[in-house]
Amino acid sequence: MLLGGPPRRSPRSGTSPKGPQSSTGHVHFGKSPQTWPRRTRPRSPGLAAPSGVRGSTQPKRRDFPRRAWLTALSRYGARLWMGRRPSLPEARGPAPRSAAASRASRSLASPETSPSPLPATTRGAVAGGGSVQGRAGAQKEVFPGQGAGKMAAPMELFCWSGGWGLPSVDLDSLAVLTYARFTGAPLKVHKISNPWRSPSGTLPALRTSHGEVISVPHKIITHLRKEKYNADYDLSARQGADTLAFMSLLEEKLLPVLVHTFWIDTKNYVEVTRKWYAEAMPFPLNFFLPGRMQRQYMERLQLLSGEHRPEDEEELEKELYREARECLTLLSQSLGTQKFFFGDAPASLDAFVFSYLALLLQAKLPNGKLQAHLRGLHNLCAYCTHILSLYFPWDGAEVPPPRHTPAGPETEEEPYGRRNQILSVLAGLAAMVGYALLSGIVSIQRATPARAPSTRALGMAEEDEEE
Amino acid sequence: MLYCISTGEQILLSDNAASLAVQAFLQMCNLPIKVVCRANAEYMSPSGKVPFIHVGNQVVSELGPIVQFVKAKGHSLSDGLDEVQKAEMKAYMELVNNMLLTAELYLQWCDEATVGEITHARYGSPYPWPLNHILAYQKQWEIKRKMKAIGWGKKTLDQVLEDVDQCCQALSQRLGTQPYFFNKQPTELDALVFGHLYTILTTQLTNDELSEKVKNYSNLLAFCRRIEQHYFEDRGKDRLS
């Protein structure tokens, strides 16, 4: 079924004019690989619909849970299938290169033809292949029948779940996810909101096929590269050098400001970041984890920027923001009019830049000076939306149309709320019964009921007498 | 007037690199400078970092602000670059700062052998007995915290060296066969790279692996030599120890 997926796409190309967003029917399957904790569903409390979402008016949305389950399985399968592409050792050289070219052309084609997600339920398979198909399309003739030997123990990626129209709200998780999408690595993605559930205690974390756990994002990407999912394969040496340089630039200039914007700036933190994390995390954690994360980030920022006296803090902030704006402008100039930083195929640098920019663009920040500046740089905005729509069509459509929005938080709240209701009722009952027993209003002893209802006492006395 | 920590006895690798970079930059701009060495230069500087320049009644520290300051005064080395090149230049400067400088710091403060033999002794040399140990430990603790914050805390020496190697490779590829990074004219990137590479090459440490890594790239070596000859020979400075 999965292998038959790609060829079957073409006939249905006309069915959806909406392009990639039409896969919104599978909006949630992006998250379905996770287990029962529904609360990890993305918060889409009506925040700005990202440009990736356009008229996701799929009536199928209603039965998404069932489909989600189906699509989850099939998506996993699609990933398996997809993943075989790079795992061919001998085809490694020529295949990725042709893949890159055809990938680009395919991905260009996919918005127009992207039929896959649409209608039928089993299309869920292809949906998962949705944009993945865009990349894999070219390879189908290369290895349709390849064995899945490598997929014995697939790699699992644990990352923060999505929100604000993005597949993940955390910088590192987003970068790793994007890179995985670019290269089509067969990852089983667990989107969770509880960092304690990840194997290493922090997110993102990758559990490799050998069982070891890696949590540093760079190391995760290096590992993926080693497993031959390398997005930088086509880069020249000079471009590789440029990659390193630009990544350092990002880390030095943009990262502190991003951290500041999301975690330290009070208004943003309270209204956006903390709210999201508190809602996303399961019960006891949401009280203290966001605060702890904030403290960690603050400490990191302070260490990075050196000691500064309190009265200089304003200055420091201004300085930081100025440098960040400069950095954004530089990025914009480097990108120019190209599709990706190094031509037509995405590389690891694109993954990182995208994660930074997307977070900045999509989150609805009350205090968004940097955001405003970024919005003014049109080629960067276009770049972000392009990647979002190409590689995360269903996730990008997570911020659903208004119709779904009220349903969203409610359905999320419900299991939560209902469970709480039940618990509280039980607790109340238990308390009442316990009190009654203890104080003797109701007694189950037959022997000398202290203040048993008279009728009962009589009844029992009579019984005793009768016996 | 350029202030830096006294060479010979006290100065450390990373500070030396920074000072040299600034000196090179100012030389490239053809600005006359007088280098003054003070033991407490670190505390004199407004941001806690050396080197810093004292011009008129303004004090500016660190290469970045110094470059801007000099630009404001009308001298600039990077005017001839177009936007894309300027972006690249900034990116590469950050790369050097990020990797080379951090590696130098790591080597100096987190590698036990070097710390014990060289760093502690040098850092505390101008101060009397208890103070030199205290200050050295304090600085070490601070640097270690910083390393942890940026994720280098867990790195082993080999990983650090590998990073340095990658960085040098990137620089080497970018340089290619050109005389300077942006063809004919030197820019602040050249000054920065020169500063770091030269000090790495010429400083004696307990293990020479760092300089070995740099020596692998012949075009970088030639680059350093070229700048040294061009800009420092006529001055006959012996500060470039």
Side-chain angles (χ1 to χ4, degrees):
Chain A
M1 170 179 89
L2 297 171
L3 290 180
R8 255 180 295 184
R9 277 175 66 207
S10 3
R12 289 179 306 109
S13 21
T15 38
S16 164
K18 293 202 191 73
Q21 300 81 25
S22 46
S23 56
T24 47
H26 308 283
V27 151
H28 295 283
F29 92 57
K31 274 148 306 306
S32 42
Q34 79 212 15
T35 47
W36 61 275
R38 291 309 191 158
R39 47 178 174 267
T40 60
R41 199 163 316 158
R43 245 95 254 100
S44 24
L47 285 175
S51 36
V53 188
R54 267 182 287 273
S56 21
T57 53
Q58 301 300 340
K60 291 143 216 39
R61 181 99 24 89
R62 301 237 172 73
D63 57 343
F64 75 80
R66 175 173 66 89
R67 263 209 311 42
W69 177 75
L70 261 180
T71 56
L73 286 185
S74 31
R75 169 176 167 157
Y76 181 31
R79 285 220 147 145
L80 278 181
W81 177 83
M82 247 305 295
R84 289 184 215 136
R85 168 182 51 97
S87 61
L88 269 202
E90 72 277 3
R92 179 103 185 52
R97 229 163 272 138
S98 59
S102 44
R103 191 200 308 156
S105 55
R106 269 307 180 143
S107 39
L108 277 185
S110 55
E112 289 82 345
T113 63
S114 94
S116 21
L118 291 191
T121 58
T122 53
R123 279 327 119 212
V126 191
S131 71
V132 165
Q133 297 287 345
R135 276 165 295 139
Q139 290 80 34
K140 59 181 189 293
E141 66 273 15
V142 181
F143 17 159
Q146 292 308 331
K150 208 168 159 121
M151 301 310 132
M155 300 188 272
E156 297 171 23
L157 177 70
F158 295 83
C159 60
W160 284 104
S161 53
W164 310 326
L166 295 171
S168 175
V169 292
D170 176 48
L171 197 60
D172 297 326
S173 315
L174 192 56
V176 175
L177 254 185
T178 320
Y179 184 82
R181 291 290 169 93
F182 283 165
T183 56
L187 286 182
K188 202 160 129 190
V189 179
H190 298 280
K191 292 207 182 159
I192 56 184
S193 303
N194 186 350
W196 291 2
R197 278 199 172 205
S198 91
S200 72
T202 58
L203 296 170
L206 178 76
R207 184 186 283 142
T208 66
S209 24
H210 311 293
E212 48 169 313
V213 176
I214 312 181
S215 2
V216 178
H218 280 278
K219 290 225 183 87
I220 295 182
I221 293 194
T222 316
H223 181 84
L224 284 176
R225 272 209 199 114
K226 270 198 268 174
E227 300 279 327
K228 309 245 195 309
Y229 302 116
N230 190 352
D232 292 335
Y233 193 77
D234 295 329
L235 296 183
S236 71
R238 164 101 173 238
Q239 287 172 329
D242 281 347
T243 306
L244 267 184
F246 276 103
M247 290 224 272
S248 305
L249 184 69
L250 281 181
E251 271 180 33
E252 289 274 327
K253 298 274 166 99
L254 262 193
L255 181 60
V257 173
L258 222 63
V259 166
H260 185 274
T261 310
F262 275 91
W263 291 93
I264 316 251
D265 183 69
T266 6
K267 210 154 172 234
N268 284 345
Y269 173 63
V270 167
E271 290 185 26
V272 178
T273 324
R274 192 171 68 180
K275 186 161 117 126
W276 188 88
Y277 279 96
E279 282 173 7
M281 292 192 203
F283 170 55
L285 297 179
N286 60 357
F287 288 121
F288 62 87
L289 260 192
R292 195 158 78 153
M293 287 171 74
Q294 191 205 20
R295 272 191 294 276
Q296 275 174 352
Y297 277 112
M298 229 185 329
E299 206 185 294
R300 198 162 129 187
L301 198 62
Q302 267 176 357
L303 280 176
L304 281 179
S305 54
E307 324 95 41
H308 55 276
R309 290 140 287 209
E311 60 268 17
D312 285 348
E313 210 160 308
E314 281 287 322
E315 287 265 336
L316 196 72
E317 231 180 87
K318 271 194 242 171
E319 176 82 25
L320 277 181
Y321 275 88
R322 194 169 51 80
E323 289 197 357
R325 279 196 285 271
E326 209 182 291
C327 176
L328 286 175
T329 323
L330 288 176
L331 279 178
S332 171
Q333 280 155 3
S334 302
L335 182 61
T337 48
Q338 301 168 67
K339 271 243 212 56
F340 295 103
F341 272 96
F342 297 121
D344 284 332
S348 54
L349 180 63
D350 297 292
F352 279 97
V353 174
F354 169 70
S355 61
Y356 280 82
L357 296 180
L359 260 184
L360 207 50
L361 261 185
Q362 302 279 28
K364 238 206 173 162
L365 300 170
N367 221 351
K369 318 174 246 192
L370 204 57
Q371 206 175 34
H373 182 84
L374 181 57
R375 292 231 168 95
L377 296 168
H378 296 292
N379 62 346
L380 287 181
C381 295
Y383 170 77
C384 275
T385 48
H386 179 67
I387 294 190
L388 248 186
S389 60
L390 265 191
Y391 292 98
F392 298 105
W394 51 88
D395 294 327
E398 264 167 25
V399 176
R403 174 174 53 85
H404 203 244
T405 316
E410 266 170 45
T411 45
E412 298 159 14
E413 301 274 285
E414 271 203 29
Y416 217 18
R418 193 178 297 134
R419 195 190 60 169
N420 281 350
Q421 278 172 356
I422 295 180
L423 275 179
S424 50
V425 166
L426 282 177
L429 270 179
M432 287 196 299
V433 169
Y435 176 67
L437 282 177
L438 285 175
S439 64
I441 298 174
V442 171
S443 168
I444 49 177
Q445 295 152 2
R446 297 212 156 215
T448 43
R451 291 187 39 188
S454 41
T455 51
R456 216 201 250 168
L458 274 179
M460 283 203 278
E462 282 172 23
E463 272 180 11
D464 285 344
E465 279 177 10
E466 279 170 11
E467 287 181 353
Chain B
M1 286 214 294
L2 178 79
Y3 283 88
C4 68
I5 301 188
S6 50
T7 54
E9 283 311 311
Q10 195 195 4
I11 198 164
L12 293 175
L13 180 59
S14 50
D15 298 330
N16 202 1
S19 311
L20 195 54
V22 173
Q23 278 180 43
F25 174 70
L26 292 173
Q27 294 275 22
M28 288 173 185
C29 292
N30 288 325
L31 293 172
I33 53 167
K34 185 170 107 154
V35 183
V36 175
C37 290
R38 291 287 167 79
N40 59 343
E42 218 180 10
Y43 299 101
M44 281 166 76
S45 141
S47 76
K49 303 251 171 74
V50 281
F52 61 95
I53 57 174
H54 182 212
V55 175
N57 57 353
Q58 283 180 315
V59 183
V60 187
S61 67
E62 288 195 61
L63 185 63
I66 291 182
V67 168
Q68 279 166 352
F69 178 77
V70 165
K71 198 179 203 162
K73 298 283 175 183
H75 302 267
S76 170
L77 290 180
S78 49
D79 279 341
L81 301 179
D82 67 18
E83 298 299 338
V84 178
Q85 284 178 320
K86 277 204 185 138
E88 275 185 23
M89 183 181 79
K90 284 247 151 61
Y92 275 95
M93 279 174 74
E94 287 306 325
L95 176 68
V96 170
N97 270 337
N98 204 356
M99 292 229 156
L100 279 185
L101 184 60
T102 326
E104 285 168 10
L105 282 175
Y106 179 89
L107 197 63
Q108 279 173 223
W109 291 102
C110 303
D111 175 42
E112 295 306 329
T114 323
V115 166
E117 276 192 42
I118 300 186
T119 321
H120 266 193
R122 294 196 100 164
Y123 190 73
S125 56
Y127 306 110
W129 174 67
L131 200 55
N132 55 3
H133 282 299
I134 295 175
L135 285 178
Y137 276 117
Q138 197 182 40
K139 180 91 186 196
Q140 185 183 18
W141 188 68
E142 192 188 306
I143 301 274
K144 277 203 167 143
R145 256 178 68 198
K146 195 165 160 193
M147 291 287 155
K148 226 164 77 164
I150 56 177
W152 281 55
K154 303 258 175 49
K155 286 201 182 185
T156 64
L157 187 60
D158 288 324
Q159 283 170 334
V160 170
L161 288 174
E162 217 179 280
D163 284 336
V164 170
D165 196 40
Q166 256 184 15
C167 178
C168 289
Q169 196 182 30
L171 287 174
S172 172
Q173 274 155 3
R174 184 67 179 78
L175 184 59
T177 48
Q178 303 166 337
Y180 299 110
F181 273 97
F182 289 100
N183 220 1
K184 295 291 178 252
Q185 291 286 52
T187 54
E188 44 262 32
L189 175 62
D190 300 283
L192 185 63
V193 173
F194 170 70
H196 281 278
L197 292 182
Y198 194 85
T199 32
I200 291 180
L201 286 171
T202 53
T203 313
Q204 283 273 21
L205 290 176
T206 43
N207 62 351
D208 284 326
E209 288 175 21
L210 198 56
S211 57
E212 289 302 317
K213 294 276 173 194
V214 177
K215 282 188 188 145
N216 280 335
Y217 299 97
S218 56
N219 60 349
L220 291 181
L221 286 179
F223 169 76
C224 287
R225 214 157 281 143
R226 194 181 313 125
I227 294 197
E228 185 193 350
Q229 279 167 355
H230 205 144
Y231 289 102
F232 288 94
E233 213 124 87
D234 46 359
R235 294 288 216 123
K237 292 211 176 286
D238 60 347
R239 254 178 244 319
L240 304 179
S241 53

